[in-house]
Amino acid sequence: MTQPPQPPNQPPRQPEQPATPAPPPGFGPPPEPSQPPTQQPPSAPGGPDLTKAPEPGYGYPQAPQQSPQATPQTPPTPTGPTPPPGYGYPQQPPAGYGYPGQPGPYGQPQQPYGQPGAYGHPQQPYGQPGYGYPHPTVPMQPHPGGGVGSGGGRKINAQLAIIVSAVVAIALIVGAGVWYSSSSSSGGDKETTADSGGTEGGEKDDENGGGTPAGGKEKVPADPAAKVLFQVPSPKSPKDSSSVGVSGSWLTDTVYAKSGVAEVVGYDAVKGSKVWTLDLPGPVCEASDHVTEDGRTAIVYKPKMPTKNDPQRCTQVAAFDLATGEKLWSETAKSGTQEIGFNNVTVSGDTVAAASTSGGAAWDITSGKLLWSPKTSDSCYDSGYGGGPKLVAVRKCGSYDQRQLHIQTIDPKSGKVISEYRMTEGIEYAAVVSTDPLVVAADVGDSAGDGSGISDFFSIDNKTGKLRSRISAPGEEFAARCDGITRIEECRGLAVGNDRLYIPTEEHEGTGEYTRTNEVVAFDLATGKQTGQRADAGDGYTITPLRMDGGNLLAYKQPPYDKGGQIVSIDGGTFKQTKLLENPATEAVRDVETGMSPRSSEVLFSQGRLYMSKVYASDFASGREEYLAIAFGTGG
């Protein structure tokens, strides 16, 4: 397909990547190109250090190149169908990143439900790797003072950008490894008072900076411009396996923990140096997002490394301490004489609960003592659990053609059912979005039509089991996704708080030329109606809710082609935005960042630091350095 004109003064597009054969039906991110990865010698904390200065000459101005697509004023009509790119891996840079003529991530054709593109963690045996388009193996540049990505809110034209790049490159040759911060704020690390406001649309924020947004704990830095703290190179998948799950990432005040191949590694949250390593006999299959107050969580893993002839089942459940990496215990459960293969694990209070179509079990997170097992029969079984402040089971009853889902709030210690809501017969799958307040997502009658797994949300009273409201969320209008088929707690791109559901709209045309954008809107869980609150992403940005921060909503803004991503705090009352962090706008950083979209990766933010990580290690690579995780942080 002939491409429409590019924005002026931009580097030529990279050649299209070769098409990758479609993976078998299943969940998880899509295929990446099939070229083998280029392996680099590891360096502390592993892999090429992207925090160092670029090589001499990098960033110098280049002679402008005329794009062959820049001549026609109107793109010619395609002569034949062009197959859509894999989800999260555009064959050409999408318009969501500022390029013309191609739909952004939310606007791309959706895969059928059950195909790659569902959120988050890997699923066994489903899913194939893939995390967006590849990036060059080049060091990441620092911010020129006050330039693009500096967070100062000032705009810069292309000619000036070239001059600034040249100046920075020369400066870095003299003083390699030095990061230049924006001079737009005079407080340095000093924080000043600010209200919870800000300006919407990814533009200039309150220049005073500092303070803490009302209703939240995250502080507003004097300068939101971030730098790369550290990165973790992607591990190789095991022999005889094209990809392996590396699901799971957690954050404490001092440790960032991330699953690798047959291990979980704890890194210093700022420096990135290894603090501890928990070795496992096989890969991690599933990981709970929930952590106890004393820093403990749970995973499911395989008893040994899989091979093509022996893929292994996810039978081992373990709890471990995030502060030390100590494995507290590892247990299995049986259905008859056979060990159960689990596809769901969660934590609620001091209880670890795991389930699958074959059965489930619950253990004490400290001792590993078996607390209870769900009753199973030919007609009913617990298909999975949602954890956190309460424990909720999705129990399936009836035959395949007369299925009924029972949404049960249960006592974590005893397994006793506290309340139950029975969904209409014929709804085959449901996912738990939140346990308190209780919100469940379902694709009623397979009507979503976009592979999101969501056509409606159900707000349920935990105490009585009565339906509070039903929220219609057509797939063509809203962009959140849930995998309720086997992974009950796997919902991404939405948040619940203030007795509201926060959900992003699908991407649509922006007000600027060739721009795409979207919004976050709020639904009242009591009435099921929209509140009228709306947070605009801004032209070229797409906004995705991450989590609540007290009464405020934290969201990630995926950037256009010439800017870095942002973390913003959205006031729960006024819906005004405050920028908490903005990533570097250098090409190398952007290429890594856009390959870790919150739609297909794990994104954590706390204390002014952003951590983005993949959920698959794969042999399908771009021939350039791939990264398992990358961390950003502000200076104030």
Side-chain angles (χ1 to χ4, degrees):
M1 179 183 294
T2 303
Q3 297 296 322
Q6 299 185 53
N9 299 318
Q10 299 305 322
R13 293 177 178 168
Q14 298 298 322
E16 288 193 3
Q17 299 296 330
T20 304
F27 295 93
E32 289 185 347
S34 56
Q35 296 95 328
T38 300
Q39 295 299 324
Q40 300 285 346
S43 59
D49 189 354
L50 291 109
T51 63
K52 289 185 177 180
E55 295 293 332
Y58 184 85
Y60 279 97
Q62 303 294 324
Q65 299 184 31
Q66 182 66 31
S67 169
Q69 289 86 13
T71 302
Q73 296 302 314
T74 303
T77 302
T79 57
T82 301
Y87 180 84
Y89 195 101
Q91 299 299 319
Q92 295 290 343
Y97 301 105
Y99 287 92
Q102 296 288 343
Y106 292 142
Q108 291 178 357
Q110 298 292 332
Q111 301 291 343
Y113 194 50
Q115 296 296 325
Y119 281 97
H121 306 317
Q123 176 173 324
Q124 304 297 333
Y126 303 107
Q128 292 293 335
Y131 300 98
Y133 55 85
H135 49 83
T137 309
V138 292
M140 295 192 179
Q141 291 183 328
H143 306 300
V148 176
S150 68
R154 290 175 285 178
K155 295 183 179 180
I156 184 167
N157 63 32
Q159 183 178 5
L160 182 57
I162 293 174
I163 295 171
V164 172
S165 297
V167 173
V168 173
I170 293 170
L172 290 177
I173 294 173
V174 177
V178 179
W179 283 90
Y180 292 82
S181 62
S182 170
S183 59
S184 62
S185 57
S186 59
D189 291 339
K190 181 181 177 181
E191 293 179 352
T192 55
T193 302
D195 60 21
S196 61
T199 54
E200 299 180 9
E203 299 297 330
K204 184 177 179 182
D205 281 344
D206 184 352
E207 291 185 353
N208 292 328
T212 301
K217 296 181 180 180
E218 295 294 339
K219 294 181 179 180
V220 183
D223 182 359
K227 66 178 181 180
V228 176
L229 298 177
F230 63 89
Q231 73 287 329
V232 181
S234 182
K236 291 182 178 180
S237 61
K239 186 179 180 181
D240 295 333
S241 179
S242 60
S243 65
V244 64
V246 287
S247 171
S249 58
W250 306 267
L251 190 59
T252 71
D253 290 342
T254 58
V255 173
Y256 170 68
K258 173 62 187 167
S259 295
V261 174
E263 66 178 6
V264 180
V265 179
Y267 302 92
D268 182 283
V270 177
K271 300 176 182 178
S273 53
K274 287 187 179 181
V275 178
W276 50 259
T277 300
L278 170 59
D279 292 318
L280 301 169
V284 175
C285 306
E286 299 293 333
S288 174
D289 292 332
H290 305 293
V291 178
T292 63
E293 292 183 357
D294 57 355
R296 298 176 178 186
T297 191
I299 55 175
V300 173
Y301 63 94
K302 296 186 176 185
K304 62 181 182 179
M305 296 303 295
T307 64
K308 290 181 179 179
N309 297 325
D310 187 11
Q312 293 293 306
R313 296 166 64 244
C314 303
T315 58
Q316 312 295 306
V317 180
F320 66 98
D321 191 313
L322 287 168
T324 64
E326 176 190 3
K327 183 163 70 174
L328 305 175
W329 50 265
S330 180
E331 296 290 344
T332 62
K334 292 184 177 181
S335 176
T337 59
Q338 188 177 22
E339 288 185 345
I340 296 172
F342 295 104
N343 50 34
N344 163 259
V345 66
T346 196
V347 174
S348 180
D350 291 325
T351 297
V352 175
S356 74
T357 57
S358 301
W363 300 267
D364 180 84
I365 197 167
T366 301
S367 65
K369 176 185 176 182
L370 181 66
L371 298 177
W372 49 268
S373 295
K375 295 180 179 180
T376 59
S377 66
D378 293 338
S379 60
C380 290
Y381 64 91
D382 286 5
S383 60
Y385 302 104
K390 295 185 183 296
L391 187 61
V392 172
V394 177
R395 187 168 178 84
K396 290 191 175 186
C397 294
S399 60
Y400 180 81
D401 57 348
Q402 290 183 316
R403 186 78 73 196
Q404 186 174 45
L405 301 183
H406 299 195
I407 309 302
Q408 300 175 333
T409 298
I410 58 180
D411 182 282
K413 290 292 186 182
S414 65
K416 180 182 178 181
V417 176
I418 298 171
S419 67
E420 178 178 88
Y421 170 71
R422 297 189 179 189
M423 303 186 79
T424 304
E425 285 190 11
I427 300 176
E428 184 68 19
Y429 307 108
V432 177
V433 177
S434 167
T435 62
D436 189 20
L438 177 54
V439 180
V440 172
D443 187 357
V444 180
D446 297 325
S447 59
D450 64 343
S452 66
I454 305 170
S455 67
D456 295 83
F457 293 94
F458 297 80
S459 173
I460 302 167
D461 188 293
N462 282 100
K463 295 181 179 180
T464 64
K466 293 182 179 180
L467 182 68
R468 300 178 65 203
S469 67
R470 177 171 170 174
I471 299 169
S472 176
E476 67 271 16
E477 296 181 25
F478 299 99
R481 301 175 72 87
C482 288
D483 171 10
I485 290 183
T486 56
R487 302 164 67 223
I488 300 304
E489 212 173 12
E490 191 56 45
C491 289
R492 301 274 167 159
L494 70 175
V496 174
N498 302 323
D499 207 34
R500 290 177 170 88
L501 168 68
Y502 300 100
I503 184 170
T505 65
E506 286 285 358
E507 193 178 279
H508 56 81
E509 290 184 0
T511 57
E513 188 176 19
Y514 303 129
T515 60
R516 307 282 293 179
T517 189
N518 77 325
E519 301 80 34
V520 169
V521 296
F523 287 88
D524 188 305
L525 293 176
T527 65
K529 298 179 179 180
Q530 288 197 38
T531 64
Q533 296 168 308
R534 188 183 77 171
D536 297 321
D539 279 341
Y541 290 88
T542 52
I543 188 169
T544 303
L546 293 179
R547 65 173 176 87
M548 300 303 297
D549 174 31
N552 295 338
L553 173 66
L554 296 181
Y556 170 76
K557 288 187 177 182
Q558 196 161 355
Y561 72 95
D562 59 347
K563 296 183 182 295
Q566 299 177 1
I567 296 293
V568 295
S569 176
I570 302 173
D571 186 280
T574 66
F575 246 48
K576 290 184 178 180
Q577 300 180 35
T578 302
K579 189 191 300 182
L580 303 183
L581 175 144
E582 183 168 18
N583 286 336
T586 57
E587 181 181 3
V589 176
R590 292 198 315 268
D591 286 344
V592 176
E593 181 180 1
T594 54
M596 295 184 181
S597 162
R599 291 169 71 84
S600 59
S601 306
E602 297 167 340
V603 179
L604 302 175
F605 177 82
S606 181
Q607 302 181 56
R609 299 188 293 269
L610 171 64
Y611 303 83
M612 308 179 78
S613 62
K614 296 183 179 180
V615 294
Y616 272 97
S618 169
D619 283 341
F620 294 99
S622 62
R624 296 162 178 165
E625 185 64 33
E626 300 290 333
Y627 296 95
L628 175 65
I630 187 167
F632 302 92
T634 60

